[in-house]
Amino acid sequence: MHAFQSWLGRDPRRPPALALLALCGLCGLAFFNGIGDLGLIDKTEGLFVEVPRQMLGSGDWVTPRWNGEPFFDYPVWGYWMVAISYKLFGITAWAARLPAALAATATVLALFALVLVLAPAEESQGSRVGRALLCGTLLTLSPGWVGWGRSSVTDMFLASAISLALLGFALAWGAADATPQRRIGHGALALFCGIAVLAKGPVGLLLPGVVIIAFLLLKGRLWAEVQRTPWPPLLALFLGVTAPWYALATAANGTTFLNRFLGFSNVERFTSVLYSHPGPPWFYLPWLVVLLLPWSLFLPVAALRLRFWRLEAWRQQTSAAADLPLLALLWLVLIVAFFSSAATKLPGYILPAMPGGALLVGLLFRPWPSDEARPLGAGLRWSGWINTVLLALISIAAVLAPRWIGGDPSFPGFADAIAASPLPLLLAVPAGLAAVALVLLLRRSSDAPQLLSRLWLPNAVAFAAVVTLLLPALNPLFDRERLLPVRELAQLAGREASTSEPLLVVGYRRYSVVFYSGRSVRFVTSPREAIDLLKAAPAAEAAGSVLLLGSDPELLEFGIGPGDAVLLARRDSHRLVRLPLTTLNQLAQP
């Protein structure tokens, strides 16, 4: 160990380089490890990856299309990234998820760099690098960041862009005018606000704007910052990123684009419940706990330790490092509050708040030198005990889970496959060992209070072990038991269907069928609905039949009995059948 420390000390560039390398390796395990081993997950991912496939095939990079129709629920940034990945690496699930994994990694590395740059110069290099590495590690090992960093949906593109914009503001905030640090920070702010608007719409500018304005108001520096900000180049960069596509999409699609995107996908999503996704005002509080576990357990202590209610103290802070905890708190609270006030609610919406929470907890465990005089206190000890109990419960639940998993008639072998696999132990053992380590730390902390600052370590080791060991084993099993049957039947449907023969998916909206079949699909729940949809496609009459894909319970509920349809293929409890139009019409009769 002494020789290693001596080697590090010979060159000041070695410690940050080694920390950066370690963080990149951790990101590789969390975001890239086995992302191609899992087929597309319905519904959203199956939809999102098909749009860039059609974009690449048609050569039209302006108008997103899905299932044969223009699709304006989201802007174009995520589609562009996935389409470019398809172009470079082929049309696969791995290529579809690669851009989201890169976006998640970029945010982690940017957080590491910011905390390292803002650290006081007089502090030892080991402390500065250790703090930056800790903050990056906490974000990397957050369930929400891992989950969406491995999934090709638009949430990670928005979350990473908003986070990079706010990190850019933090970099610029403490720097003197006309310095490279301030120019880089302002450039990142404008650039990534533009990318966020291209990823999701006006909310990509609104959310960073709300956080920054609230921060400047609390600091009493809003007007002063407005006056010293170089607005013309920042506006030019922002508009240069956003305006071209919005102008081209409006020119190509006119009011259809504006009404669908701005009216439906933005205003109505906020003011009314869309796609049956309601939720009470407190909907995101349990999700915040889950998506940031176990670090969310320490958020109350981190917030209280800031004494954020002492406005006069915040206005006396003079450095960007000292102000960073306040920015992190506002980042977390305001984004969660914004989406809590919206009518349509989905867990992934609060993903942009995750880096703020990770940063806040990281600065709790490794505070700036000016904050080290504040004792960590009983609150952190109680949070540690809650953390211990939760890990113990997770360990017990993992062992008992195979007995609790109920049978799913659509996937009858899934529960047995889980029980026969090592998956329960791969979760139970790391969680149990982490609980034991926390007990030892907490018991010893009565004599050595500084040990409380190491409560993050057992959690991080356990989560890293789960990511390293559990995910590579879980992905193939989940794919084989839950995704492969639908994928194989969809691919067969693409080969079996005639040009005009409609393909209908019965019951659950398996959007991945569009991707795997390579053709337009209609999603139905009843024969009457199917007939109404087919009236809009006169060519279907020429085929004389339709293809239906669904599970046995779904097809039975649809009304298909023995002898009604020709079985083309069966995969577990899923079937692909050919149904004559005459029979479909009979089923649709009241």
Side-chain angles (χ1 to χ4, degrees):
M1 180 61 71
H2 178 74
F4 177 70
Q5 292 177 340
S6 176
W7 176 81
L8 282 179
R10 292 193 198 110
D11 188 338
R13 296 172 297 182
R14 287 176 180 173
L18 189 62
L20 185 62
L21 183 63
L23 197 54
C24 287
L26 190 60
C27 288
L29 292 174
F31 309 130
F32 299 89
N33 182 21
I35 58 172
D37 296 341
L38 193 66
L40 301 179
I41 300 175
D42 290 314
K43 301 186 294 187
T44 306
E45 190 179 46
L47 180 154
F48 191 83
V49 303
E50 169 65 7
V51 176
R53 189 187 72 83
Q54 295 192 16
M55 184 175 285
L56 192 64
S58 67
D60 183 355
W61 293 66
V62 173
T63 302
R65 289 182 173 83
W66 180 74
N67 209 13
E69 299 176 354
F71 184 74
F72 295 122
D73 277 31
Y74 308 107
V76 79
W77 177 260
Y79 304 143
W80 281 351
M81 295 300 100
V82 176
I84 292 172
S85 183
Y86 284 162
K87 185 75 172 177
L88 294 174
F89 304 110
I91 301 176
T92 64
W94 179 87
R97 294 180 179 128
L98 177 63
L102 291 173
T105 301
T107 308
V108 169
L109 298 183
L111 180 62
F112 167 85
L114 175 78
V115 175
L116 186 61
V117 167
L118 294 187
E122 63 273 12
E123 189 179 15
S124 70
Q125 188 181 56
S127 295
R128 289 186 284 121
V129 172
R131 181 187 299 108
L133 181 59
L134 173 60
C135 291
T137 297
L138 297 192
L139 179 58
T140 306
L141 297 179
S142 298
W145 211 250
V146 172
W148 272 271
R150 301 172 62 89
S151 178
S152 186
V153 292
T154 193
D155 300 272
M156 180 51 74
F157 295 111
L158 175 69
S160 60
I162 287 176
S163 300
L164 291 168
L166 288 171
L167 293 174
F169 168 78
L171 183 65
W173 165 247
D177 291 343
T179 59
Q181 179 176 326
R182 188 164 175 84
R183 285 195 292 267
I184 292 171
H186 275 153
L189 173 62
L191 172 65
F192 289 107
C193 278
I195 290 175
V197 171
L198 271 185
K200 196 78 177 215
V203 72
L205 178 62
L206 177 63
L207 288 179
V210 167
V211 174
I212 291 170
I213 290 172
F215 173 80
L216 294 175
L217 285 173
L218 288 177
K219 292 292 296 179
R221 294 288 305 277
L222 178 60
W223 181 239
E225 192 66 17
V226 168
Q227 288 181 307
R228 66 190 287 249
T229 298
W231 291 105
L234 297 188
L235 289 173
L237 178 56
F238 172 79
L239 293 175
V241 172
T242 58
W245 177 76
Y246 280 93
L248 290 171
T250 303
N253 301 280
T255 56
T256 301
F257 164 68
L258 295 175
N259 292 337
R260 177 70 187 183
F261 173 67
L262 295 177
F264 178 79
S265 294
N266 285 270
V267 176
E268 288 191 37
R269 193 182 295 268
F270 190 86
T271 59
S272 58
V273 177
L274 299 182
Y275 305 123
S276 301
H277 293 303
W282 57 88
F283 175 85
Y284 287 114
L285 294 182
W287 277 110
L288 176 62
V289 174
V290 171
L291 297 182
L292 262 178
L293 273 178
W295 324 122
S296 54
L297 303 177
F298 300 93
L299 282 175
V301 179
L304 291 174
R305 191 165 181 266
L306 292 180
R307 302 171 188 172
F308 57 86
W309 56 88
R310 297 178 59 186
L311 183 61
E312 69 283 356
W314 286 111
R315 293 192 172 181
Q316 293 172 4
Q317 300 285 1
T318 57
S319 69
D323 290 333
L324 191 58
L326 175 62
L327 179 65
L329 179 63
L330 293 172
W331 182 345
L332 174 70
V333 171
L334 292 178
I335 290 180
V336 173
F338 174 84
F339 286 113
S340 296
S341 64
T344 302
K345 292 181 173 68
L346 284 170
Y349 286 178
I350 62 167
L351 195 64
M354 299 298 103
L359 178 58
L360 194 61
V361 175
L363 294 177
L364 166 70
F365 286 119
R366 294 295 295 267
W368 303 116
S370 59
D371 293 333
E372 288 178 348
R374 298 181 187 176
L376 293 177
L380 187 57
R381 185 174 285 105
W382 276 107
S383 298
W385 282 115
I386 294 172
N387 186 182
T388 303
V389 172
L390 180 62
L391 285 172
L393 291 175
I394 290 174
S395 181
I396 295 171
V399 173
L400 298 177
R403 305 178 188 176
W404 297 342
I405 298 177
D408 185 341
S410 296
F411 303 96
F414 181 63
D416 291 339
I418 290 287
S421 74
L423 292 175
L425 287 179
L426 290 177
L427 177 58
V429 171
L433 291 177
V436 172
L438 284 174
V439 169
L440 296 177
L441 281 175
L442 288 165
R443 288 177 64 86
R444 292 182 59 196
S445 67
S446 299
D447 300 322
Q450 70 273 14
L451 291 177
L452 291 174
S453 64
R454 301 179 188 175
L455 291 178
W456 64 272
L457 185 57
N459 288 293
V461 172
F463 200 117
V466 168
V467 167
T468 304
L469 302 174
L470 183 70
L471 288 181
L474 174 63
N475 283 352
L477 184 148
F478 190 87
D479 183 76
R480 182 183 70 248
E481 298 295 331
R482 308 272 311 195
L483 305 179
L484 183 61
V486 173
R487 181 164 73 247
E488 290 185 341
L489 292 178
Q491 292 168 341
L492 178 63
R495 298 191 298 267
E496 287 289 326
S498 63
T499 304
S500 59
E501 190 173 30
L503 172 59
L504 308 181
V505 171
V506 177
Y508 184 71
R509 291 176 174 261
R510 302 171 179 87
Y511 291 152
S512 65
V513 174
V514 181
F515 180 88
Y516 288 120
S517 68
R519 54 174 296 148
S520 296
V521 177
R522 296 292 177 262
F523 301 92
V524 298
T525 56
S526 68
R528 183 71 266 166
E529 183 183 7
I531 290 296
D532 292 340
L533 286 173
L534 294 178
K535 288 178 181 178
E541 294 289 339
S545 62
V546 298
L547 296 186
L548 295 178
L549 191 158
S551 67
D552 289 339
E554 289 168 331
L555 291 173
L556 182 62
E557 185 177 354
F558 190 81
I560 297 178
D564 288 337
V566 177
L567 177 65
L568 299 181
R570 171 184 285 278
R571 298 292 184 273
D572 290 340
S573 67
H574 288 74
R575 285 182 284 160
L576 177 68
V577 301
R578 175 171 278 120
L579 183 71
L581 280 178
T582 54
T583 305
L584 181 61
N585 277 294
Q586 291 172 0
L587 294 175
Q589 298 303 314

